[in-house]
Amino acid sequence: MTTYQEFIQQNEDRDGVRFSWNLWPSSRLEATRLVVPVSCLFTPLKERPDLPPVQYEPVVCGRANCKAVLNPLCQVDFRAKIWACNFCFQRNPFPPSYAGISDVNQPAELMPQFSTIEYIVQRGPATPLIFLYVVDSCLEEEDLQALRESLQMSLSLLPPNALVGLITFGRMVQVHELSCEGIAKSYVFRGTKELSSKQIQEMLGLMKPAASGQQGRPIAPQDAAASCRFLQPVHRVDMNLTDLLGELQRDPWPVPQGKRPLRSTGVALSVAVGLLEGAFPNTGARVMLFTGGPPTQGPGMVVGDELKTPIRSWHDIQKDNARHLKKATKYFDALANRTADNGHSVDIYACALDQTGLLEMKCLSNLTGGHIVMGDSFNTSLFKQTFQRVFSKDFNGEFRMAFGGTLEVKTSRELKVSGAIGPCVSLNAKGPSVSENEMGIGGTSQWKVCSLNPSTTLALFFEVVNQHNAPIPQGGRGAIQFVTQYQHSNTQRRIRVTTVARNWADAQSQIQHIESSFDQEASAVLMARLGVFRAESEEGPDVLRWLDRQLIRLCQKFGQFNKDDPTSFKLSESLSLYPQFMFHLRRSPFLQVFNNSPDESSYYRHHFVRQDLTQSLIMVQPMLYSYSFHGPPEPVLLDSGSILPDRILLMDTFFQLVIYHGETIAQWRKAGYQEMAEYENFKQLLQAPLDDAQEILQTRFPMPRYVDTDHGGSQARFLLSKVNPSQTHNNSNGWTQEPGAPILTDDVSLQVFMDHLKKLAVSSST
Amino acid sequence: MSQQGYVATPPYSQAQAGMGAYPAGSNQHMYGHYGGPPQASFPPPAGSMKSPVSSSTPGMPPPPNHYNPNGQQNGSHPQSYPGAPAAPGAPAAPGAPAAPGAPAGYGHPLQSQYPSMGQQAPPPAKQLTNQMGAMNLGNYAPGPMQSPPTASPIAPQPFQPTPHPAMGQPPGPLGPHHPWGAGQCLVLQWQDLTCLVWACPTLDHLPQDPGASSSLVPDPIAQQATPRNQVSLGARWQGPDGRAQMAGGQMAGPQPGFPGAFPGPGMAGPPQKKLDPDSIPSPTQVIEDDQAKWGGQLYATNVRGQVPPLVTTDFTVQDQGNASPRFMRCTTSCLPCTADLAKQCQVPLAVIIKPFASLPENETPLYVVNHGETGPIRCNRCKAYMCPFMQFLDGGRRYQCGFCSCVNEVPVFYFQHLDHMGRRMDFYERPELSLGSYEFAATLDYCKNNKLANPPAYIFMIDVSFTNIKSGLVKLVCDELKTLLDNLPREDGAESSAVRVGFVTYNKILHFYNVKSSLAQPQMMVVSDTVEMFVPLLDGFLVSYPESRAVIHNLLEQIPDMFADTNESETVFAPVVQAGLEALKAAESSGKLFIFHSSIPTAEAPGKLKNRDDKKLINTDKEKTLFHPVKGLYEQLTKECVAQGCSVDLFLFPSQYLDLATMGHVPAHTGGSVYKYSNFQVETDGEHFLRDLRKDVEKSMGFDAIMRVRTSTGFRATDFLGAVYMSNTTDVEMAAVDCDKAVTVELKHDDALSEETGAFLQCALLYTTVGGQRRLRVHNLSLNCSAQLPELFKSCETDSLINFFAKTAYRAVLNQPLKSVKEILVSQTAHMLACYRKNCASPSAASQ
């Protein structure tokens, strides 16, 4: 019997699924007592180089409200050519094309190793991908130049047949016509006026074809002809567009002293959305917004143009002092929903030193699966490389992006799905497997994910509905099937089906087993997602209290202790790290807004709710590696005690990559020992973390902020704010011989946190 | 000159025709209205009035002219069609002969029906010349004006080759006249009388249905003309009757000004039953005589209350303390002393001011005076500007304002000793002390928002809908602009024009062009949001022509091609004006829009118009509604344009009804002009249009102007007529004013005037020059006052009178039925002449 560790790993590699519990409690009551719900992190498009897609349609169950896909868990009668759906138990005949099926001649989807399988299906004409650049022209010349170059460069990265369009905005919004010869032509919209999609299309001269867009039939010929003025195949307008971008001027309207430039981001986005909505509904399309500041006029205005009024801070928001917040959020929400309805996605590349209104605009990306990238300037490698990485390709030379995905979840009868948390919107598909208890985005068994990439991960929460008095026979298994339909970047429609099953366990008799099937990493991330989801709508302290209560209940349930004796408290191995994750989660920027701007919070949360487990875990509890002469590089505790003079530390928080040279090392480096031949080993030591960092930089999206600092350097704060403050100015006095660096903070340390936790867990009063 | 007083025009005879038209009753009424005296004294006239009706006389030669043309005045009046700025190509094709050379602008054919006149009395005597010409203040552009007179004394006649049998009946005669032939174009110039008369409203109207419309238009004029004539005849003249209308018709044509002087001795003649046609003063003759007297002469303005030469006369003005008659002309240069007297004589008191009148080359341009940072010196009480009418006292330490008599301190820097005559020593060094017209450099206080003005901008807005593309107009305009833009008006002495230019094309949506000099190619920006118009760009839209020449040429080259295969036939209009306005607002400058438009704006947008041409309304009380602009948006637009100093010139190329009454509202109040070329064809009308365009683009202008007329105590300016906008009762706002625009100002008594001190007028015009400087142009005029009616009549000036009558009549047309407008004109004229005869002419035997 393999360990749960291995089992979990295997499952993740094969299916991209990690459950909080790998044995499921067999009744609703027991499930609720487990505190952490039965739930999973699911990565629909996990890269599977070893999984060649099959070129036929999936076989689905004939029951109208089931439609589950044939999978290895189904009972098959090879002789009768009949299979039984493992979700609804309907018996279905195989289609004629499966006539040759037999024990030894099984289709791939029946083989156990194909619990995840991908089908290529023919549905409608292939439509090219669409990239619509929405570019802010109120940038500093230097920034604009950098952006121009990045955009021009990106043209060469696009698939040649992709359609590309350009909208620029400042005080006005200009939609550039790309097809015209000679004189450059653009349609201009006033930046202050909210327009309906119909008005936009009329003004652009795009009259709707009579046919309704319901069918998702993209591009009727006349349709394409009409809109092609604005969206052209890259290969045809490459030169034209390059010139256009080259001539892109800063917004010509003068900006008076003491004012912000007028930026019509809201209208620009609505024009972009309106343009695509009319011409290309339900086609893979990315609206890529490049902005260098907050929207300052028109619908979606985040801050007025007076520089003396600063952009809202958390303080203002808590005081209900953010004038435009509600209106702007509402506006962008509505826009985001429209975009999602049409299956398009919106990326936001916001590069500015101040906030740019991500808080208000985040929905655009959150609901549509678009990226958010936040940087200081377009003229940084952070932006340039991140942007380039959007167009990165996989081992097949295909773009790591997929569009118009829908994720459908089917469950066996004992389970229902309560909701999802991730970059998705509900499709409002009611069905037998939809739970009434909502967690996250619930009330549906289907979600739309407008844009996906291989790391896009959704958290799915389930409810066990089996009644306590209706025991499940020993050895019974619960099954869940994930059906993901999407448009591949090569424009094929594909369907990926993942079917998983777990054993049921009786919580009363098999609590040990259940405990050991606990996946604390997945659980930490899942609980964190729930926390972040709540934090979007609730006050920060409430969320923390809720998390604490959950943690205490979990400890009470699974800890071993004597009543009212904190010292006797013990947790089994499978839960041992969980409290520590919670400790760091409480301190993380996802739940703490102190020291973060609203934009930063939105940005962090945006990434947290879409990254896969590993990345999420790094975000919750950053990784710390130590490099020294004493041995090979090793991961060390994220603790102030790890900060030693003769160490180099590499911290990865996902968003930042910090290399910290201890006091001694920094002095050596300053003295230039690494230049001397006899200190070659020192040079190597210095180089080692750099190489490791480079490796991370290469692969991560978005590119992290890279910080190289020394002991006492101002940027060391990135490290100091993350580590567990086991030594602070309050307690370090008597402990000078203790290794490590005291942190100037009043935050509680992990030790204090654990002490309180034990006390509360064992207390009979709670 | 002295003689000039009133002109009796020969046409009397004809004038009657008009009468015929009137219902008898109305005639009567009129008379009654006037009061007894006239009737009593002139029974004959009364009779005549009626008689004409019946007689319609074909045969009626004009009565013998009673007037002997005497000397200069009464001779036959040459008809100068001076005024006729009739467009060359003008409609009046028939008329054309008359004014071949005349470029001018009204295309209105005046076709009148002069028929009978023509036939019967071809001689000059009969012609009523159209006063239009006269209307202009000052002389007309010398060129055009002059030539016509000689050429065409009889010109009017040609119009009506066939005498109308039914002379008397207006409808009949009128019909034929209808000017609007295909290809004719109308140019309305607001400033001119003519234009006024023709008034936009009618314009549209006319084209559509000639018959009906014709009656509308010409009539008013005709009427007025006629009556006047009649009256002038001394009311006594009877005969010629029916023709009155015809006369009217003529008026329309180049109207020979009545050269003002007529009161020849002849006047004195006793009433006679029959007028001797030969003795009726002929306008043509009067004009010729005046020309003979003043032609090429120097006219010095040093004497108060002089009667200036006729507007048709080519003379040279030397400013010696009063504004040149080119700038200001009074209906009478001798005001009656009391309101009673003014009422009695019925001569309207008005001054016609043409602040930017162009001066011939041999006259000195206006001096610019700079009083430094404090700005121009002004009276503390009435705020009148320093002028020759200020009396210096106390050895030069104080001065008394000639307008309000307030005694003011002379600022230290301005102090100067007085000579033995009481004049300042620097009298001849300071234009503001010795001249009638001069300019002050304005300080920041006189600028909008206390910001220095920017040079104005000209925006060319071309309708590129199907019609204009097909007719070749777009190409024509674009080609012309390439050369025309080199001739933008510039400040005197400036090397190049500071005027910036911008380009817009439109049909249902608008296209703005970025023609920044740094661009290799112009850029087009399309704005489809016609509901809330805005300007998509600032930098690059309004540019200096020399700098962006290459890009602009490139653009003008491409525009015709870009839209070559358009099939868009709907247009918008109000948003176009709005766009120009917004552009100027954004650029914080004043300016002018040149709009080349083809059709009634029916596209879904603000300012959408519908065809409301209803023939049924013609000749009813509701007829006036046809002339009214549609309420609402356009009025608002006008207001905004004036506030921004945005003048609108309309070039129209309609092939059908256009609702010019509404579309013309904006130009009419922003100092703009309307040019209309019906059924435009490049081959036939192209040259005509281009000439108009060139003149319009090149002429010198002032922008964002505010005019104020101050008067000495005892009377004041009460009413202002012209292409102006009034937001209160004293400030005349003009988005732009050019060398052809005039404002007619009506004067009323407040109190008695003194013969001794006379009366002063000061017209101050604050404006922005084409170079973007803020200036104050001041015109001063002194008038005599007299308690003696003969003095008054002697100083009357028909040119100005007609201008006043025409403008008031035009205004009245909008509020009253045409019929009553005509009646009022007739009665007033009759009354005026009656008064003349009673008070001035009676001693001698009235010859007519």
Side-chain angles (χ1 to χ4, degrees), chain A residues 12-150:
Chain A
E12 184 178 12
D13 289 348
R14 191 178 62 220
D15 299 328
V17 178
R18 282 189 67 164
F19 276 96
S20 52
W21 305 97
N22 287 293
L23 274 183
W24 294 339
S26 56
S27 75
R28 179 203 295 266
L29 189 64
E30 286 161 7
T32 52
R33 283 188 184 152
L34 294 184
V35 183
V36 176
V38 173
S39 52
C40 72
L41 288 166
F42 176 56
T43 309
L45 295 193
K46 186 168 177 62
E47 280 191 342
R48 289 285 306 277
D50 55 333
L51 180 73
V54 297
Q55 308 257 358
Y56 51 81
E57 298 264 340
V59 175
V60 299
C61 170
R63 188 181 289 245
N65 61 3
C66 177
K67 300 264 181 204
V69 179
L70 178 63
N71 62 71
L73 303 175
C74 293
Q75 301 251 335
V76 178
D77 182 338
F78 291 109
R79 266 181 308 181
K81 309 270 189 272
I82 281 175
W83 61 278
C85 171
N86 61 325
F87 294 98
C88 66
F89 305 114
Q90 158 109 346
R91 295 164 67 80
N92 299 290
F94 282 106
S97 54
Y98 281 62
I101 196 168
S102 76
D103 227 347
V104 291
N105 182 18
Q106 294 188 6
E109 63 263 36
L110 286 180
M111 300 179 190
Q113 68 268 36
F114 287 107
S115 58
T116 292
I117 187 164
E118 187 153 319
Y119 302 87
I120 297 175
V121 297
Q122 305 299 325
R123 300 265 164 89
T127 56
L129 301 184
I130 301 168
F131 295 87
L132 182 52
Y133 294 156
V134 181
V135 182
D136 178 4
S137 57
C138 300
L139 301 174
E140 294 302 316
E141 190 48 55
E142 190 191 339
D143 256 18
L144 187 60
Q145 182 54 31
L147 180 56
R148 259 183 226 138
E149 285 165 10
S150 286

Side-chain angles (χ1 to χ4, degrees), chain A residues 172 174 177 181-193 195 202-205 207 244 247 249 252-254, chain B residues 509 513 516 519-529 531-539 555 558 562 582 586:
Chain A
M172 306 287 168
Q174 279 176 267
E177 195 172 314
E181 314 255 310
I183 204 161
K185 215 168 157 185
S186 60
Y187 282 68
V188 187
F189 294 83
R190 155 178 273 194
T192 51
K193 191 176 171 185
L195 295 166
E202 262 171 23
M203 288 181 184
L204 289 174
M207 287 311 160
L244 202 56
E247 281 197 359
Q249 297 298 314
W253 296 85
Chain B
I509 52 179
Y513 296 91
K516 205 172 169 180
L519 293 174
Q521 278 265 337
Q523 293 175 347
M524 178 204 266
M525 311 183 107
V526 183
V527 173
S528 350
D529 185 359
V531 180
E532 280 180 65
M533 193 32 75
F534 61 94
V535 193
L537 77 172
L538 182 59
D539 188 26
L555 171 68
Q558 292 196 43
M562 265 190 295
E582 296 296 332

Side-chain angles (χ1 to χ4, degrees), chain A residues 252, chain B residues 501-503 513-517 519 523 537-543 548:
Chain B
V501 294
F503 302 88
Y513 296 91
N514 184 350
V515 284
K516 205 172 169 180
S517 55
L519 293 174
Q523 293 175 347
L537 77 172
L538 182 59
D539 188 26
F541 178 60
L542 295 177
V543 297
S548 294

Side-chain angles (χ1 to χ4, degrees), chain B residues 38-117:
Chain B
Q39 290 187 348
S41 54
F42 310 121
S48 69
M49 304 293 260
K50 295 175 180 172
S51 66
V53 177
S54 57
S55 64
S56 91
T57 78
M60 284 315 309
N65 191 353
H66 345 37
Y67 258 12
N68 254 338
N70 94 359
Q72 335 163 341
Q73 315 193 306
N74 289 332
S76 55
H77 296 268
Q79 166 152 10
S80 57
Y81 262 29
Y106 1 25
H108 227 353
L110 320 163
Q111 344 254 28
S112 4
Q113 7 256 97
Y114 217 37
S116 56
M117 295 313 289

